[in-house]
Amino acid sequence: MTKLIFAGHFLTTIFELEVDGKTERAIPRDYQLDVVKDHPIHVDFLRLKPGSRLRLEVPVHFINHEAAPGIKRGGALNVVYHSIELWVPADDIPEAITAI
């Protein structure tokens, strides 16, 4: 679980969990880490029904900013939001939003 959390995209990844002998699709909603050792203590999952939609944070990646005229003249890219909250179908969660 530690590798999954620290690899990124953990909170936007759908898992198949076995509950009472049945396989259920679920997405992590939150997790708690040990304050000293930094390993996972607890993970909250949300069960997904077929056709369900989710509200979640998706990271924003900026491309081609070094080609912008203002940055070429010494300006800087000021990123206000590193992620955007989206309302998406559970089967179509984007890994990231690309902004130019």
Side-chain angles (χ1 to χ4, degrees):
M1 192 63 65
T2 303
K3 287 182 181 181
L4 293 172
I5 291 173
F6 290 115
H9 306 292
F10 178 68
L11 296 176
T12 59
T13 303
I14 295 176
F15 293 93
E16 291 190 4
L17 306 175
E18 188 172 324
V19 180
D20 294 331
K22 295 190 310 186
T23 302
E24 300 281 346
R25 293 179 51 204
I27 189 164
R29 288 314 256 171
D30 196 17
Y31 58 88
Q32 292 176 326
L33 300 176
D34 183 275
V35 294
V36 176
K37 297 182 181 180
D38 215 26
H39 66 270
I41 297 174
H42 177 81
V43 178
D44 289 328
F45 285 94
L46 175 68
R47 187 176 310 190
L48 298 175
K49 295 180 182 178
S52 61
R53 296 176 65 87
L54 300 168
R55 177 176 288 134
L56 43 86
E57 298 276 330
V58 177
V60 177
H61 295 162
F62 294 92
I63 60 170
N64 297 330
H65 55 82
E66 59 277 342
I71 292 180
K72 284 183 178 179
R73 289 189 215 129
L77 175 66
N78 185 12
V79 178
V80 178
Y81 295 107
H82 295 276
S83 63
I84 296 175
E85 186 176 279
L86 296 176
W87 181 252
V88 296
D91 296 324
D92 196 22
I93 299 172
E95 283 194 28
I97 301 295
T98 304
I100 299 174

